[in-house]
Amino acid sequence: MITPLHPDLSQPAGWLPLAFLIVMGLAMLAYVILDGYDLGVGILMRHAEDTEKDMMIASIGPFWDANETWLVLSVGILLVAFPTAHGQILGALYLPVAIMLLGLILRGVAFDFRVKAQAQNKPAWNFAFHLGSILAAFSQGFMLGMLVIGFQTSIWSYAFAALIGLCLMAAYCLLGATWLLMKSEGQLQIKAATWARRSLWVAGVGIATISIVTPFASPSIAEKWFSFPNFILLFPIPLITAILFWWIDRILKRLPAQLAQGNQRWIWTPFASTVGIFFLAFHGLAYSLFPYLIIDKITIWQAASAPESLMIIFVGACVVLPVIIGYTVMAYRIFWGKATLLEY
């Protein structure tokens, strides 16, 4: 029997929504990692000296605009491929979405104006970039928290979402600091190691909190994780995540003394390990939610557009997606290496 939970995957109405879900999920993961580090750099700017702020901006300058393309792609897919869910999700998250957009706009304006601003006005634009980064990061974490608990509207739900917002800010700071470890030199690089270690365990609290709360949000999610043999098969996810946290902490503890001696070995490992943590957290969350876009309410097949419409969009996605991937790879390949000051 074909149901919303068990569609016929041999038909376009079955496999097209699944294909778009995969593309949307991977686009969102790419956004969280790529724009996450430059949001983290923006949040950390308040702790840096003025000359260091210029270098921090330079480290993300060639990439940050392209990184936001993945957000546009993922939200666009949600709109055109899953319009029913798009309306309900964006309706429930109207305020945090508006705050996120305000933060992203503020960042974009501040990024360009700070370069041309007179010396007395530059601190104001630096603060605007910092504030925009906080607003965007916190609102994204808040939305994640609301998604995990199925958009409940109790005071405890809002408190949980706010906690996840703060923890995602810390996770972005971890990404940003480990990015600076690779892209900067001197005192800023040593400071980045300290910032990363301070952010590490707050980010861990966020991941642990979501991991604990998500199974309680739905009996079906709890069954997926804790039934046998699923529990045994899935246990490597939290185990490897814990090992990565331990490994990052160990490396960060040693890096300041190592960098003071001019030793640049292994400076890429904290960032790579943090990306691994994000990937595992995404994998666990995706497993928990699938096949629902809204927990226990709307599946991807119930929310999907007509197969005829999806097929047209699918052809367009097959053209656009390789272009976005190619441009991103090219940008990172060209501008890889230590950052240098931006000049306009």
Side-chain angles (χ1 to χ4, degrees):
M1 178 179 179
I2 299 174
T3 69
L5 291 177
H6 302 89
D8 183 2
L9 296 181
S10 66
Q11 300 297 319
W15 66 265
L16 277 172
L18 185 60
F20 277 103
L21 177 69
I22 293 172
V23 174
M24 183 177 69
L26 293 178
M28 187 59 70
L29 176 63
Y31 170 77
V32 167
I33 292 173
L34 297 179
D35 206 42
Y37 75 71
D38 68 55
L39 285 169
V41 169
I43 296 171
L44 292 169
M45 278 183 65
R46 290 287 287 177
H47 304 288
E49 303 294 333
D50 288 341
T51 55
E52 294 172 339
K53 290 175 183 177
D54 291 337
M55 188 57 67
M56 292 170 74
I57 291 293
S59 74
I60 63 175
F63 313 109
W64 76 281
D65 247 350
N67 293 342
E68 293 180 354
T69 305
W70 296 102
L71 176 63
V72 176
L73 177 63
S74 57
V75 175
I77 291 175
L78 180 63
L79 171 63
V80 300
F82 307 107
T84 303
H86 176 274
Q88 295 196 31
I89 293 174
L90 270 294
L93 300 175
Y94 185 86
L95 182 58
V97 167
I99 294 174
M100 180 187 72
L101 293 176
L102 175 63
L104 294 177
I105 292 170
L106 193 59
R107 276 169 50 88
V109 173
F111 186 93
D112 288 327
F113 274 62
R114 69 177 298 281
V115 178
K116 296 294 185 179
Q118 297 179 358
Q120 65 269 25
N121 296 327
K122 195 171 183 179
W125 288 114
N126 285 336
F127 177 75
F129 190 81
H130 168 73
L131 179 61
S133 301
I134 289 178
L135 292 176
F138 178 80
S139 58
Q140 289 172 17
F142 188 92
M143 288 187 281
L144 174 61
M146 294 299 290
L147 174 66
V148 165
I149 56 177
F151 306 110
Q152 299 175 26
T153 55
S154 67
I155 185 66
W156 297 110
S157 301
Y158 292 131
F160 170 76
L163 173 63
I164 300 306
L166 294 174
C167 291
L168 186 64
M169 284 175 56
Y172 283 170
C173 286
L174 176 61
L175 272 173
T178 53
W179 173 259
L180 289 173
L181 276 173
M182 298 188 299
K183 300 293 287 185
S184 63
E185 296 177 300
Q187 194 62 33
L188 177 58
Q189 193 179 33
I190 295 174
K191 285 184 178 180
T194 303
W195 295 336
R197 197 163 182 226
R198 290 175 180 173
S199 306
L200 177 65
W201 296 110
V202 182
V205 168
I207 293 176
T209 303
I210 290 179
S211 301
I212 293 170
V213 170
T214 303
F216 290 100
S218 167
S220 61
I221 294 177
E223 183 180 359
K224 288 170 73 174
W225 277 93
F226 299 119
S227 62
F228 188 84
N230 291 12
F231 178 78
I232 302 298
L233 296 174
L234 295 169
F235 184 71
I237 295 177
L239 177 62
I240 297 173
T241 300
I243 292 173
L244 287 174
F245 269 103
W246 170 82
W247 174 252
I248 294 172
D249 183 69
R250 184 183 181 191
I251 292 293
L252 292 175
K253 187 184 299 184
R254 299 179 177 182
L255 270 181
Q258 175 183 314
L259 294 173
Q261 298 173 357
N263 186 351
Q264 298 285 318
R265 290 184 62 191
W266 307 109
I267 58 172
W268 58 272
T269 53
F271 183 80
S273 300
T274 303
V275 170
I277 289 173
F278 271 77
F279 179 82
L280 289 169
F282 170 81
H283 181 83
L285 184 62
Y287 174 78
S288 297
L289 298 181
F290 182 81
Y292 292 100
L293 290 173
I294 301 178
I295 294 177
D296 293 340
K297 292 181 180 179
I298 300 179
T299 68
I300 60 173
W301 293 283
Q302 291 171 327
S305 299
E308 296 80 7
S309 300
L310 288 178
M311 186 60 74
I312 295 174
I313 302 167
F314 181 75
V315 173
C318 289
V319 175
V320 172
L321 191 59
V323 174
I324 297 175
I325 294 173
Y327 171 79
T328 302
V329 171
M330 182 181 70
Y332 278 87
R333 184 174 181 179
I334 291 174
F335 295 103
W336 196 251
K338 296 294 184 181
T340 56
L341 289 176
L342 294 178
E343 296 182 358
Y344 286 80

